Amino acid sequence: MFRRITAVEAAPTKTPSPPSTPLRYGDYSARANIADGGRLCVVVAAISIALLFTAPTARADDPPGAKPYATYCAACHGAGGKGGFASQLGSEAYLQARDDAAIVQSISEGMPGKGMPAWSKSKGGALSDAQIADIVAYLRAFAPTVGAPVAAVPNAPVAPPANAPTSNFAFIQTQLSVTQAENAAGELVVSARLQEYTGYPVSGATIAFSRATTFGVVDLGTAKTGANGIATLILPEAPANARQVDVTFKGDKRLDASAAKIALEPRVDVASGSFDANTVRLSVEEPLLPPEGSLITPNPPLLPTVLFALVVGCIWATYGLVISQMVGIWKHGRGQAWEDVLRKKR
Amino acid sequence: MFRQPTREDILFQPLQSTGKRFYVFVAFLLAIIAWAAYAYFVQMSEGLIVTGLRDYVFWGIYMTNFVFFIGISHAGTLISAILRVTGAEWRRPITRMAEAITVFALMIGGPMIIIDMGRPDRLLNLLLYGRLQSPILWDLISIMTYITGSLMYLYLPMIPDLALCRDRLTDAPAWKRWLYRVLALNWRGDAEQKHKLERGVAIMAVLIIPIAVSVHTVVSWIFGMTLRPGWHSTIFGPYFVVGAIFSGIAAILIAMVIFRRIYHLEGYLTDKHFRNLGLLLLAMDVIYIYFTLSEYLTMAYGNDVADARVLQMLFWGDFALVFWSMILGGFVLPAFMLAVPNLVKIPQRAPTAFRALRPAMAIAAVAVLFFIGFSPTASASADLQAVPLFPLMRILGILAALGGLFWLALPLMKAHPIATIVTASILINVAMWLKRYIIIVPTLYNPRVPIQAVPWEWAHYVPSWVEWSITAGAFAMFILLYTLFSKLFPVVSIWETSEETHVPAHAEARVAEGGAHV
């Protein structure tokens, strides 16, 4: 597939190779500021290739997705996918770069941070899965794409069904590998190396680090790969127990997604590369709450308790004073004439 | 013996005669309460699974009711105590109905906590193993203190009126006579008793103000002491107190207009009372809007990750419709309703063209509201930052339509000032209920570690029929208690509304009557 090769060539030659900056967990200022210019070139290359190979395929009738599109999508994405406030969904560039599953995901789960809400009913949106599939089919009708293999084969009988998976489009297989080490400060450094199937390192790709825990997946942060294809994450602590860190690359317009995981060992000696099972320690001491000095204590602290009792006691004592006034009223009026009045009347 | 109808006769009227409508009304309320009791029975036998409450959203409309009723309870104490301490004379006819709201709202609000519990018997653990470090125990102590104090504060100024009931309502059923006799505490109104009474009332009036403030602060601390996004805020204490006074005044106004209509109290509850309380309500409304702005601005400016999630849900997400209805319809609109009719002058006779076009213009405004506000196309733009223009136009459209409607309704509001104030009060109380819901539920949707990979209904809260039924029952119970109170005791303080010179004269008259019976 020469298209794929073109893309591969475009990437390494035009992508700048920034230095690999390690990401410190929780330290935003340390995040690598990496230019994304190279990726634009890749996109442009992909679009131009796509333009070369696409031939208009007639679509006879309006798919059932036309109506939900007009109702829910057109406000931002424009009538007929022409674009507006948001992406031009009808463009070939958009449609070529994504398979149906990806578009379905964008619609149903939204794009957090980009203003695209989650639309599927399961996420609280307005659209059923069937409607989303209809909309995807409708979008597919704008640009007769459906992947290079079909378009490239001259005798393709018909375009495949609109919702058929088209993920075989020109994705380059990638590989992630993870290693761990300890730096001079005693911190644990997790390094993820992303490479293409040819072994060529991928630079500028976003790698996500996460950790599966009993209460869900904790996002540890993301880092971009440097010229050597390595993204690093510094964990503030070297865990005392072996824990698993998941490393994922979501894939992009050119590269396929990949994932890897590593079980963090208590300690790895950098110099020898050997694992020292006997040394189990935290490199950074976790700050614990002071046992005293706040109200989070096993037993009520004396001073606040006394003050509290004093305040509440004063209030109730004042109630007592008021009640004594009532008793006074009652005592003072005892044996008065009106009682005789009532008794006689009865 | 024929007597000229006196002021007491008007105020005793509800206590002496009871119409058919009263029994129908009470039966209706009892039916709702019975249904709520059945709902609670279902909840007790099936467990909290019959409610919409789950592990994540563990507080729902029960807690909303709790905070709401505790808030309403500030009506009486604060208003009547503050007005009493400052010597505002116009307060006299409204203090008792306000104080009664306090007592009954507390009686309904407190038990909502127990209803919220899956195992109410474990409330005992709070007494047996309670930890003084826990705001829950603070809450228990402060509410018990408050309900005791407000009962005394309701009862003390009622003693002379109870004596009057004892002396006048001699043809009442025996149990009523007994009740009045016991509660009147041998009152005969001499200098010594008056001195003691005034002393007691003065102490309670001063004492109840800090207690009322502290109670709602402690209620707010149940939220504020946690590290939850949207709750962990130092502003919550005063914010809740102001909200409580705000909704309390609105509640008094509603009660006032109902009693005025049903018990013919026009001579006591005059336009002046509505106007004064309406202005107080307006001031509290503006203060509350300020607090609301302050709270959300602080959260939005800090933009802490979890706070931002809560705000996103409130402003544009799941709760946006409730949130904006509350802000616009419950806080902003009432402020205009309370302020503008006092400020503008409108011509007696509007131009004919204007009058002819008025219905058309109203329909047009409603149509604009409907199409801009609720059309699905419009709701697609969920994020203001991503698409700045469209929501802005939409918001401006909604505001313009609302403004137009307000302008059209202005002559009506001008013509019916009391109805306007009471409508604003109702809007405010609905909004304050929603506000408590808005405080509780969105935060529970957003724990610090986001809810992930759980079934939809675990992460969302939809009140079940059980919860709605018990809520309806709670409101019915409140109205029932209040109604029965008004049938048993004069809702307007007789001795306090008497002229200064009237009291001794009245005492003489009573002595004379007593002598006649002898």
Side-chain angles (χ1 to χ4, degrees), chain B residues 5 361 442 471:
Chain B
M361 287 191 283
T471 301

Side-chain angles (χ1 to χ4, degrees), chain B residues 40-201:
Chain B
Y40 189 60
F41 170 75
V42 171
Q43 181 181 315
M44 278 289 94
S45 42
E46 306 280 323
L48 282 176
I49 193 71
V50 298
T51 66
L53 303 169
R54 295 293 181 269
D55 278 12
Y56 286 110
V57 187
F58 46 82
W59 286 346
I61 60 174
Y62 290 153
M63 262 335 229
T64 307
N65 293 336
F66 164 70
V67 184
F68 177 78
F69 276 113
I70 301 286
I72 289 289
S73 78
H74 278 45
T77 10
L78 270 184
I79 314 310
S80 107
I82 290 172
L83 295 180
R84 203 187 287 273
V85 168
T86 54
E89 289 303 311
W90 59 271
R91 72 162 200 276
R92 291 175 183 277
I94 61 174
T95 46
R96 180 159 309 150
M97 50 181 80
E99 287 152 15
I101 288 181
T102 301
V103 173
F104 298 128
L106 283 175
M107 284 179 178
I108 302 300
M112 290 313 294
I113 299 267
I114 301 168
I115 289 172
D116 190 62
M117 296 170 74
R119 288 283 303 272
D121 52 302
R122 290 186 180 170
L123 189 71
L124 218 57
N125 288 354
L126 203 56
L127 302 174
L128 297 178
Y129 313 108
R131 288 162 50 79
L132 205 57
Q133 302 96 304
S134 159
I136 306 279
L137 195 62
W138 310 347
D139 206 35
L140 188 82
I141 292 171
S142 67
I143 287 181
M144 296 313 285
T145 306
Y146 187 39
I147 197 164
T148 310
S150 53
L151 254 175
M152 284 161 60
Y153 186 57
L154 170 69
Y155 173 59
L156 261 182
M158 215 158 69
I159 292 174
D161 282 357
L162 287 165
L164 208 59
C165 290
R166 174 196 67 196
D167 298 346
R168 287 286 165 78
L169 305 178
T170 42
D171 45 1
W175 67 270
K176 262 194 195 179
R177 288 204 311 268
W178 176 83
L179 186 74
Y180 293 141
R181 191 166 60 82
V182 169
L183 289 179
L185 287 184
N186 297 338
W187 177 266
R188 55 189 186 97
D190 62 17
E192 174 72 19
Q193 285 186 324
K194 265 194 199 155
H195 172 70
K196 285 191 188 310
L197 180 79
E198 271 161 23
R199 221 177 130 190
V201 171

Side-chain angles (χ1 to χ4, degrees), chain A residues 220-238:
Chain A
L220 297 176
T222 57
K224 291 217 163 139
T225 54
N228 51 4
I230 291 177
T232 52
L233 173 84
I234 295 175
L235 288 174
E237 46 153 341

